[in-house]
Amino acid sequence: MTTAEQPPFSYSLHNVTTTVSDLDASIAWWNRVFGLTLLAKSRFDAIGADVAFLQGPGFRLELLQPADGIRLPELTAEPPAHIRPIGNKALVFRVEDLGSVTQTFRELGVTIVWEQLDLGDGSISTAIRDNDGNLINVFQEGASPVG
């Protein structure tokens, strides 16, 4: 493994962003399924989109609703074809008890792509889709080299 050189500036992750078709419906979905809370909601006139910032445990999620949003079916393709388009693939969360979390997803009526899949490194994963079809991977740590 190589060691990265220190960049000539300091930085931290501010947020992760995803576009949505209905901002209010997405705010409600993220609150209901993951308990994210609304920090702020406004408009970005420069890009022609409404925006909401949600707070999660140790991260912020930015939801953008563009006035002229389009769907590209390749971006929400079923796995494993979902990895073919170059770009972001999934939001990934780590949990301690995937069985319990998967059961919660079932009870909430969340769209499940796969349940408790053995990833081959001792980790297991349940993948779901948000209300716009974006892939979210939730895994329980195993022997993965990056945990």
Side-chain angles (χ1 to χ4, degrees), residues 37-131:
T37 57
L38 181 64
L39 291 175
K41 188 175 170 185
S42 64
R43 172 112 182 121
F44 281 161
D45 287 325
I47 61 171
D50 292 320
V51 61
F53 283 94
L54 307 179
Q55 181 68 51
F59 75 98
R60 283 182 293 246
L61 178 65
E62 177 185 23
L63 303 175
L64 289 175
Q65 180 184 336
D68 58 352
I70 60 171
R71 289 195 187 273
L72 300 175
E74 298 84 1
L75 295 180
T76 56
E78 290 301 315
H82 74 294
I83 65 169
R84 294 188 67 219
I86 303 301
N88 298 321
K89 297 296 129 212
L91 195 55
V92 181
F93 296 112
R94 181 175 49 207
V95 298
E96 295 297 320
D97 182 358
L98 185 63
S100 174
V101 172
T102 301
Q103 180 60 35
T104 299
F105 291 154
R106 278 193 231 104
E107 291 168 2
L108 291 171
V110 172
T111 300
I112 297 177
V113 178
W114 67 70
E115 289 188 37
Q116 300 186 69
L117 177 69
D118 183 344
L119 299 178
D121 64 357
S123 300
I124 54 175
S125 162
T126 293
I128 63 172
R129 295 210 184 262
D130 72 4
N131 59 309

Side-chain angles (χ1 to χ4, degrees), residues 14-26:
H14 183 268
N15 64 268
V16 175
T17 304
T18 189
T19 53
V20 300
S21 62
D22 182 327
L23 193 61
D24 291 327
S26 293

